[in-house]
Amino acid sequence: MKKIGIDSKGNLIIGTTAILIVSLLLICIFVMTSMNYIANENIDSKSNDNFKYIINDYSENLEVIGRDSIDEATQKAFNGLPILNSENEIKKNLDKKLDEKNKEYEEKYDVKINSKALSVENSNSPWKILIKVKLNGEKENEKFSKIIEKNVSIENLRDPLPIAKLTVLSGILTYDNKYHYKTALSAYMVLHDLDSPESYIEATAPLIIRKCPYDPYIHHGDPGVLKDCLKQGYFHESADGSCYLCRLEGKGKCPHYGFEVFIQTHTPLNNETLSCSDHVVFSDHYNGKKIDEEDWDSLILDDSHRKKYGLI
Protein backbone atom coordinates (compact mmCIF):
# COMPACT_ATOMS: atom_id res chain seq x y z
CA MET A 1 0.00 0.00 0.00
CA LYS A 2 2.82 2.40 0.79
CA LYS A 3 4.48 1.81 -2.59
CA ILE A 4 1.22 2.41 -4.37
CA GLY A 5 0.91 5.80 -2.57
CA ILE A 6 4.39 6.84 -3.59
CA ASP A 7 3.80 5.84 -7.19
CA SER A 8 0.54 7.79 -7.21
CA LYS A 9 2.25 10.90 -5.96
CA GLY A 10 5.01 10.45 -8.54
CA ASN A 11 2.51 10.08 -11.34
CA LEU A 12 0.66 13.14 -10.10
CA ILE A 13 3.83 15.21 -10.11
CA ILE A 14 4.82 13.96 -13.55
CA GLY A 15 1.33 14.64 -14.92
CA THR A 16 1.20 18.10 -13.41
CA THR A 17 4.66 18.89 -14.75
CA ALA A 18 3.66 17.69 -18.21
CA ILE A 19 0.56 19.85 -18.16
CA LEU A 20 2.60 22.88 -17.09
CA ILE A 21 5.14 22.26 -19.84
CA VAL A 22 2.41 21.88 -22.48
CA SER A 23 0.69 25.05 -21.16
CA LEU A 24 3.94 26.99 -21.31
CA LEU A 25 4.55 25.77 -24.85
CA LEU A 26 1.05 26.83 -25.87
CA ILE A 27 1.55 30.22 -24.22
CA CYS A 28 4.86 30.67 -26.02
CA ILE A 29 3.31 29.71 -29.35
CA PHE A 30 0.43 32.13 -28.73
CA VAL A 31 2.79 34.94 -27.76
CA MET A 32 5.02 34.39 -30.81
CA THR A 33 2.02 34.17 -33.12
CA SER A 34 0.58 37.37 -31.66
CA MET A 35 3.91 39.16 -32.01
CA ASN A 36 4.22 38.11 -35.65
CA TYR A 37 0.63 39.21 -36.29
CA ILE A 38 1.23 42.59 -34.68
CA ALA A 39 4.48 42.99 -36.60
CA ASN A 40 2.74 42.16 -39.87
CA GLU A 41 -0.08 44.54 -39.00
CA ASN A 42 2.45 47.29 -38.35
CA ILE A 43 4.12 46.59 -41.69
CA ASP A 44 0.75 46.68 -43.46
CA SER A 45 -0.16 49.86 -41.60
CA LYS A 46 3.10 51.56 -42.54
CA SER A 47 2.69 50.42 -46.13
CA ASN A 48 -0.86 51.74 -46.21
CA ASP A 49 0.17 55.08 -44.67
CA ASN A 50 2.98 55.40 -47.19
CA PHE A 51 0.60 54.76 -50.09
CA LYS A 52 -1.84 57.34 -48.72
CA TYR A 53 0.98 59.87 -48.42
CA ILE A 54 1.97 59.32 -52.06
CA ILE A 55 -1.61 59.73 -53.29
CA ASN A 56 -2.17 62.84 -51.15
CA ASP A 57 1.11 64.34 -52.36
CA TYR A 58 0.09 63.71 -55.98
CA SER A 59 -3.34 65.26 -55.39
CA GLU A 60 -1.81 68.37 -53.83
CA ASN A 61 0.39 68.80 -56.92
CA LEU A 62 -2.66 68.93 -59.20
CA GLU A 63 -3.26 72.61 -58.48
CA VAL A 64 0.28 73.52 -59.56
CA ILE A 65 0.03 71.27 -62.64
CA GLY A 66 -3.33 72.85 -63.52
CA ARG A 67 -1.95 76.37 -63.20
CA ASP A 68 1.05 75.51 -65.39
CA SER A 69 -1.33 74.05 -67.98
CA ILE A 70 -3.38 77.28 -68.04
CA ASP A 71 -0.24 79.41 -68.31
CA GLU A 72 0.97 77.26 -71.21
CA ALA A 73 -2.29 77.95 -73.06
CA THR A 74 -1.80 81.67 -72.35
CA GLN A 75 1.71 81.50 -73.76
CA LYS A 76 0.29 80.03 -76.96
CA ALA A 77 -1.87 83.16 -77.35
CA PHE A 78 1.19 85.34 -76.76
CA ASN A 79 3.01 83.37 -79.45
CA GLY A 80 0.37 84.54 -81.90
CA LEU A 81 -1.51 81.24 -82.21
CA PRO A 82 -5.31 81.34 -81.91
CA ILE A 83 -7.09 79.29 -79.27
CA LEU A 84 -10.48 78.14 -80.51
CA ASN A 85 -11.41 75.99 -77.50
CA SER A 86 -9.63 77.00 -74.31
CA GLU A 87 -11.04 74.11 -72.25
CA ASN A 88 -9.69 71.50 -74.67
CA GLU A 89 -6.38 73.35 -74.99
CA ILE A 90 -5.86 73.32 -71.22
CA LYS A 91 -7.02 69.68 -70.96
CA LYS A 92 -4.46 68.70 -73.59
CA ASN A 93 -1.70 70.49 -71.67
CA LEU A 94 -2.90 68.97 -68.41
CA ASP A 95 -2.89 65.39 -69.73
CA LYS A 96 0.64 65.83 -71.03
CA LYS A 97 1.87 67.10 -67.68
CA LEU A 98 -0.01 64.34 -65.82
CA ASP A 99 1.74 61.70 -67.93
CA GLU A 100 5.11 63.22 -67.02
CA LYS A 101 4.16 63.30 -63.34
CA ASN A 102 2.98 59.66 -63.47
CA LYS A 103 6.38 58.53 -64.79
CA GLU A 104 8.12 60.56 -62.09
CA TYR A 105 6.09 58.93 -59.31
CA GLU A 106 6.65 55.42 -60.68
CA GLU A 107 10.41 55.96 -60.74
CA LYS A 108 10.50 57.69 -57.36
CA TYR A 109 7.92 55.72 -55.34
CA ASP A 110 7.40 52.54 -57.37
CA VAL A 111 3.69 53.31 -57.58
CA LYS A 112 1.65 53.03 -60.77
CA ILE A 113 -0.59 56.06 -61.32
CA ASN A 114 -2.96 56.54 -64.19
CA SER A 115 -4.65 59.93 -64.38
CA LYS A 116 -6.72 61.78 -66.96
CA ALA A 117 -8.18 65.28 -67.13
CA LEU A 118 -11.98 65.04 -67.27
CA SER A 119 -12.93 68.70 -67.53
CA VAL A 120 -11.77 72.30 -67.30
CA GLU A 121 -14.51 74.80 -66.48
CA ASN A 122 -15.41 78.00 -64.67
CA SER A 123 -15.81 77.79 -60.90
CA ASN A 124 -18.07 79.85 -58.65
CA SER A 125 -15.35 82.51 -58.59
CA PRO A 126 -14.06 84.38 -61.66
CA TRP A 127 -10.60 84.20 -60.10
CA LYS A 128 -10.46 80.39 -60.17
CA ILE A 129 -10.82 77.66 -62.79
CA LEU A 130 -12.14 74.24 -61.77
CA ILE A 131 -10.28 71.18 -63.03
CA LYS A 132 -11.46 67.59 -62.57
CA VAL A 133 -9.00 64.70 -62.82
CA LYS A 134 -9.70 60.96 -62.68
CA LEU A 135 -6.93 59.45 -60.55
CA ASN A 136 -6.13 55.73 -60.27
CA GLY A 137 -3.20 54.55 -58.16
CA GLU A 138 -1.79 51.09 -57.37
CA LYS A 139 1.12 49.79 -55.32
CA GLU A 140 1.36 46.10 -54.43
CA ASN A 141 -1.99 45.29 -52.80
CA GLU A 142 -3.03 48.90 -52.30
CA LYS A 143 -5.37 50.62 -54.78
CA PHE A 144 -6.92 54.06 -55.07
CA SER A 145 -9.51 55.45 -57.47
CA LYS A 146 -11.21 58.83 -57.22
CA ILE A 147 -12.19 61.95 -59.16
CA ILE A 148 -10.16 64.85 -57.77
CA GLU A 149 -11.44 68.44 -58.09
CA LYS A 150 -9.19 71.47 -57.71
CA ASN A 151 -9.93 75.19 -57.95
CA VAL A 152 -6.93 76.72 -59.70
CA SER A 153 -6.25 80.42 -59.18
CA ILE A 154 -5.61 82.60 -62.24
CA GLU A 155 -4.36 85.52 -60.14
CA ASN A 156 -0.88 86.70 -61.13
CA LEU A 157 -1.21 85.10 -64.56
CA ARG A 158 -1.15 87.31 -67.66
CA ASP A 159 -4.42 88.61 -69.05
CA PRO A 160 -4.67 87.02 -72.52
CA LEU A 161 -7.61 89.06 -73.85
CA PRO A 162 -5.86 92.03 -75.54
CA ILE A 163 -3.26 89.89 -77.32
CA ALA A 164 -5.85 87.27 -78.32
CA LYS A 165 -8.28 89.92 -79.53
CA LEU A 166 -5.88 92.18 -81.44
CA THR A 167 -3.13 89.57 -82.21
CA VAL A 168 0.61 90.15 -82.09
CA LEU A 169 0.50 91.60 -85.61
CA SER A 170 -1.36 94.67 -84.35
CA GLY A 171 1.78 96.13 -82.80
CA ILE A 172 0.61 95.80 -79.19
CA LEU A 173 3.56 95.54 -76.78
CA THR A 174 4.03 94.19 -73.24
CA TYR A 175 6.59 95.57 -70.81
CA ASP A 176 6.67 97.03 -67.28
CA ASN A 177 3.80 94.65 -66.43
CA LYS A 178 1.54 96.59 -68.79
CA TYR A 179 -0.04 96.34 -72.19
CA HIS A 180 1.09 99.26 -74.37
CA TYR A 181 -1.45 99.51 -77.16
CA LYS A 182 0.48 102.08 -79.21
CA THR A 183 -1.77 102.47 -82.30
CA ALA A 184 -3.27 98.96 -82.13
CA LEU A 185 -6.41 99.98 -80.25
CA SER A 186 -7.07 103.11 -82.29
CA ALA A 187 -6.70 101.04 -85.49
CA TYR A 188 -9.23 98.56 -84.09
CA MET A 189 -11.63 101.43 -83.38
CA VAL A 190 -11.22 102.83 -86.90
CA LEU A 191 -11.96 99.38 -88.31
CA HIS A 192 -15.20 99.22 -86.27
CA ASP A 193 -16.16 102.86 -87.01
CA LEU A 194 -16.06 103.89 -83.33
CA ASP A 195 -15.94 107.48 -82.05
CA SER A 196 -12.67 109.35 -81.47
CA PRO A 197 -10.16 106.51 -82.05
CA GLU A 198 -7.31 109.00 -81.63
CA SER A 199 -8.16 109.18 -77.91
CA TYR A 200 -6.85 105.63 -77.45
CA ILE A 201 -3.46 106.13 -79.10
CA GLU A 202 -0.77 105.10 -76.56
CA ALA A 203 -3.40 103.67 -74.18
CA THR A 204 -2.20 101.23 -71.50
CA ALA A 205 -3.70 98.47 -69.36
CA PRO A 206 -2.47 96.03 -66.69
CA LEU A 207 -0.84 92.84 -67.94
CA ILE A 208 -0.91 90.77 -64.73
CA ILE A 209 -4.25 89.81 -63.17
CA ARG A 210 -4.57 91.06 -59.59
CA LYS A 211 -7.86 91.05 -57.73
CA CYS A 212 -8.85 94.49 -56.48
CA PRO A 213 -9.02 94.56 -52.65
CA TYR A 214 -11.23 97.67 -52.57
CA ASP A 215 -14.51 95.83 -52.24
CA PRO A 216 -17.30 96.98 -52.38
CA TYR A 217 -16.11 98.85 -55.45
CA ILE A 218 -18.03 102.00 -54.57
CA HIS A 219 -15.05 102.82 -52.33
CA HIS A 220 -13.08 103.78 -55.44
CA GLY A 221 -14.72 107.16 -54.93
CA ASP A 222 -12.90 107.55 -51.58
CA PRO A 223 -9.78 109.76 -51.54
CA GLY A 224 -6.73 108.04 -53.02
CA VAL A 225 -8.41 104.70 -53.78
CA LEU A 226 -8.79 105.05 -57.57
CA LYS A 227 -5.24 106.38 -57.87
CA ASP A 228 -3.86 103.35 -56.03
CA CYS A 229 -6.09 100.96 -57.99
CA LEU A 230 -4.74 102.29 -61.29
CA LYS A 231 -1.17 102.27 -60.01
CA GLN A 232 -1.43 98.63 -58.88
CA GLY A 233 -3.34 97.56 -62.00
CA TYR A 234 -6.22 95.83 -60.24
CA PHE A 235 -8.98 93.82 -61.95
CA HIS A 236 -12.63 93.82 -60.87
CA GLU A 237 -15.43 91.25 -60.86
CA SER A 238 -18.05 91.94 -63.52
CA ALA A 239 -21.16 90.21 -64.81
CA ASP A 240 -20.47 91.87 -68.18
CA GLY A 241 -16.74 91.16 -68.37
CA SER A 242 -15.47 87.96 -69.91
CA CYS A 243 -14.08 85.03 -67.90
CA TYR A 244 -10.48 83.83 -68.24
CA LEU A 245 -11.38 80.88 -70.46
CA CYS A 246 -13.20 83.14 -72.91
CA ARG A 247 -10.45 85.76 -72.73
CA LEU A 248 -8.07 83.07 -74.01
CA GLU A 249 -10.32 82.80 -77.08
CA GLY A 250 -10.27 86.57 -77.62
CA LYS A 251 -13.86 87.12 -76.52
CA GLY A 252 -14.45 90.55 -75.02
CA LYS A 253 -17.76 89.41 -73.57
CA CYS A 254 -19.22 86.03 -72.61
CA PRO A 255 -22.22 84.49 -70.78
CA HIS A 256 -20.11 83.60 -67.73
CA TYR A 257 -19.40 85.71 -64.66
CA GLY A 258 -16.04 87.33 -65.34
CA PHE A 259 -14.00 90.45 -64.64
CA GLU A 260 -13.04 93.77 -66.16
CA VAL A 261 -10.09 96.12 -66.09
CA PHE A 262 -9.67 99.77 -67.03
CA ILE A 263 -7.89 100.63 -70.27
CA GLN A 264 -6.29 103.94 -69.40
CA THR A 265 -5.96 106.68 -72.01
CA HIS A 266 -3.23 109.31 -71.91
CA THR A 267 -4.62 112.13 -74.02
CA PRO A 268 -5.36 115.85 -73.81
CA LEU A 269 -8.50 115.30 -75.91
CA ASN A 270 -11.92 115.62 -74.32
CA ASN A 271 -13.89 114.02 -77.16
CA GLU A 272 -16.63 111.59 -76.31
CA THR A 273 -15.31 108.11 -76.98
CA LEU A 274 -15.53 104.52 -75.75
CA SER A 275 -15.95 103.95 -72.03
CA CYS A 276 -12.66 102.47 -70.86
CA SER A 277 -13.80 99.18 -69.28
CA ASP A 278 -12.23 96.47 -71.43
CA HIS A 279 -15.49 94.63 -72.19
CA VAL A 280 -16.92 97.93 -73.48
CA VAL A 281 -13.90 98.60 -75.68
CA PHE A 282 -13.73 95.08 -77.09
CA SER A 283 -17.41 94.20 -77.30
CA ASP A 284 -20.19 96.47 -76.00
CA HIS A 285 -18.99 99.68 -77.69
CA TYR A 286 -20.79 102.46 -75.81
CA ASN A 287 -19.35 105.86 -75.02
CA GLY A 288 -18.27 107.66 -71.89
CA LYS A 289 -16.54 110.88 -70.90
CA LYS A 290 -13.46 111.83 -68.92
CA ILE A 291 -13.94 111.99 -65.15
CA ASP A 292 -11.56 114.94 -65.05
CA GLU A 293 -11.26 116.91 -68.30
CA GLU A 294 -8.03 118.56 -67.13
CA ASP A 295 -6.24 115.26 -66.46
CA TRP A 296 -4.53 113.58 -69.43
CA ASP A 297 -4.62 110.25 -67.56
CA SER A 298 -8.26 110.51 -66.51
CA LEU A 299 -10.49 107.47 -66.97
CA ILE A 300 -13.23 107.69 -69.59
CA LEU A 301 -16.38 106.18 -68.06
CA ASP A 302 -20.10 105.94 -68.71
CA ASP A 303 -22.65 106.70 -65.99
CA SER A 304 -23.23 103.06 -64.97
CA HIS A 305 -19.53 102.41 -64.39
CA ARG A 306 -19.14 105.72 -62.53
CA LYS A 307 -21.95 104.61 -60.23
CA LYS A 308 -20.46 101.12 -59.76
CA TYR A 309 -17.13 102.59 -58.65
CA GLY A 310 -18.51 105.51 -56.65
CA LEU A 311 -17.18 108.07 -59.12
CA ILE A 312 -20.37 110.07 -59.74
Side-chain angles (χ1 to χ4, degrees):
M1 295 293 293
K2 190 174 182 180
K3 285 185 178 181
I4 293 172
I6 293 172
D7 290 342
S8 297
K9 287 182 179 180
N11 290 337
L12 181 62
I13 293 170
I14 292 170
T16 302
T17 303
I19 292 171
L20 289 172
I21 292 171
V22 171
S23 298
L24 287 172
L25 286 173
L26 290 173
I27 291 170
C28 288
I29 291 170
F30 175 78
V31 170
M32 291 180 66
T33 302
S34 298
M35 290 178 66
N36 286 333
Y37 176 78
I38 292 170
N40 289 333
E41 280 290 296
N42 287 336
I43 292 172
D44 290 342
S45 177
K46 289 179 180 178
S47 176
N48 184 262
D49 288 344
N50 180 256
F51 182 70
K52 287 180 179 178
Y53 168 80
I54 293 169
I55 294 298
N56 287 337
D57 184 66
Y58 188 98
S59 298
E60 290 301 316
N61 277 316
L62 289 179
E63 188 172 343
V64 175
I65 296 172
R67 186 177 170 88
D68 289 344
S69 300
I70 296 168
D71 190 46
E72 187 173 326
T74 302
Q75 183 58 46
K76 181 177 179 179
F78 275 80
N79 289 340
L81 301 173
I83 297 176
L84 303 178
N85 189 315
S86 58
E87 291 92 340
N88 285 345
E89 185 70 29
I90 295 170
K91 276 179 64 179
K92 181 181 70 176
N93 296 341
L94 186 54
D95 279 331
K96 180 182 177 182
K97 294 182 185 300
L98 289 173
D99 287 342
E100 294 172 356
K101 185 61 67 174
N102 295 346
K103 292 176 183 177
E104 176 189 329
Y105 271 62
E106 185 169 6
E107 292 175 1
K108 188 175 181 180
Y109 299 113
D110 192 28
V111 58
K112 292 182 179 179
I113 294 180
N114 179 269
S115 52
K116 182 176 179 59
L118 298 180
S119 65
V120 174
E121 57 195 71
N122 286 299
S123 70
N124 294 328
S125 166
W127 313 107
K128 295 179 183 293
I129 292 174
L130 176 64
I131 64 170
K132 296 181 182 180
V133 174
K134 175 66 174 178
L135 176 59
N136 295 309
E138 182 177 351
K139 184 175 183 179
E140 298 175 352
N141 295 325
E142 300 292 337
K143 292 184 178 181
F144 177 90
S145 182
K146 189 177 180 181
I147 294 176
I148 307 294
E149 297 185 2
K150 290 289 183 180
N151 281 310
V152 181
S153 173
I154 53 92
E155 290 190 67
N156 294 314
L157 293 181
R158 292 167 295 177
D159 178 17
L161 176 58
I163 201 77
K165 184 74 174 179
L166 300 177
T167 78
V168 294
L169 299 177
S170 66
I172 186 173
L173 299 176
T174 56
Y175 55 89
D176 297 333
N177 283 333
K178 287 183 179 181
Y179 276 108
H180 294 262
Y181 285 99
K182 302 300 180 180
T183 60
L185 201 49
S186 57
Y188 164 85
M189 292 173 66
V190 169
L191 183 65
H192 290 82
D193 195 26
L194 301 172
D195 292 339
S196 190
E198 63 276 8
S199 296
Y200 275 86
I201 294 175
E202 297 291 341
T204 59
L207 172 64
I208 307 300
I209 296 174
R210 298 187 181 96
K211 180 182 177 182
C212 184
Y214 298 113
D215 192 2
Y217 295 150
I218 196 170
H219 286 301
H220 284 68
D222 296 345
V225 173
L226 179 61
K227 183 178 179 180
D228 184 63
C229 178
L230 294 174
K231 180 181 178 181
Q232 301 300 330
Y234 290 136
F235 286 66
H236 309 87
E237 293 187 24
S238 171
D240 298 316
S242 56
C243 69
Y244 195 89
L245 294 175
C246 288
R247 294 171 96 87
L248 277 169
E249 298 171 4
K251 296 176 181 177
K253 190 170 183 175
C254 71
H256 315 111
Y257 189 63
F259 47 87
E260 64 184 353
V261 71
F262 299 128
I263 297 177
Q264 193 168 0
T265 60
H266 309 283
T267 175
L269 301 176
N270 291 319
N271 301 343
E272 184 174 297
T273 186
L274 287 179
S275 183
C276 71
S277 175
D278 63 346
H279 69 85
V280 178
V281 173
F282 290 125
S283 182
D284 291 323
H285 298 164
Y286 51 79
N287 286 352
K289 293 182 179 180
K290 272 189 173 183
I291 297 173
D292 182 356
E293 293 185 356
E294 303 300 320
D295 184 2
W296 282 36
D297 298 326
S298 173
L299 294 182
I300 299 171
L301 289 177
D302 56 278
D303 289 342
S304 63
H305 278 90
R306 291 189 189 208
K307 184 177 180 180
K308 175 180 177 178
Y309 292 99
L311 300 170
I312 298 290

